[in-house]
Amino acid sequence: SITNIEAVIRNLPGALQLPGGVYNFGGENHTDTFSLVRSLLEELGMEGALARMIPNETAFADNPRDLTMDLTKLREAGLDFPTTRQGLLETLRQHNFS
């Protein structure tokens, strides 16, 4: 999943100690790519870019760009990530984009 690299670095040592298995490792989401980008542009006050955004419902009709990820198993192991939106906003703010 799209996530903040600092969260990956922070969680990597703990993840390496986990028993074998499948873990969702990244920003938790309950959205699609279009909605995520739209909310980021709104947060950044980029109305011009928002006005030009048009969802491509044809290209991805059979395979929606869904970013949904559940971190329950990772949290139960004591690790956590910000949501993709929170992680991206944090990164943008760190680099003075907001």
Side-chain angles (χ1 to χ4, degrees):
S1 176
I2 300 169
T3 196
N4 180 303
I5 191 64
E6 291 179 11
V8 171
I9 293 167
R10 183 177 63 247
N11 282 295
L12 195 54
L16 294 173
Q17 302 302 312
L18 295 173
V22 177
Y23 298 86
N24 287 330
F25 197 77
E28 186 170 39
N29 306 288
H30 300 289
T31 190
D32 58 81
T33 310
F34 182 83
S35 299
L36 173 66
V37 171
R38 186 167 185 79
S39 74
L40 289 171
L41 292 174
E42 287 172 357
E43 179 82 22
L44 296 171
M46 299 179 73
E47 287 79 17
L50 273 170
R52 293 188 301 272
M53 281 189 67
I54 302 167
N56 188 339
E57 296 171 355
T58 304
F60 305 111
D62 294 334
N63 187 19
R65 299 302 192 212
D66 187 346
L67 299 174
T68 300
M69 183 178 281
D70 180 0
L71 298 185
T72 302
K73 189 173 177 184
L74 201 65
R75 273 196 204 101
E76 288 171 352
L79 302 175
D80 199 15
F81 283 86
T83 65
T84 294
R85 185 177 186 281
Q86 291 166 332
L88 288 173
L89 285 172
E90 181 180 323
T91 299
L92 291 170
R93 288 184 183 119
Q94 289 171 345
H95 295 282
N96 300 315
F97 282 101
S98 62

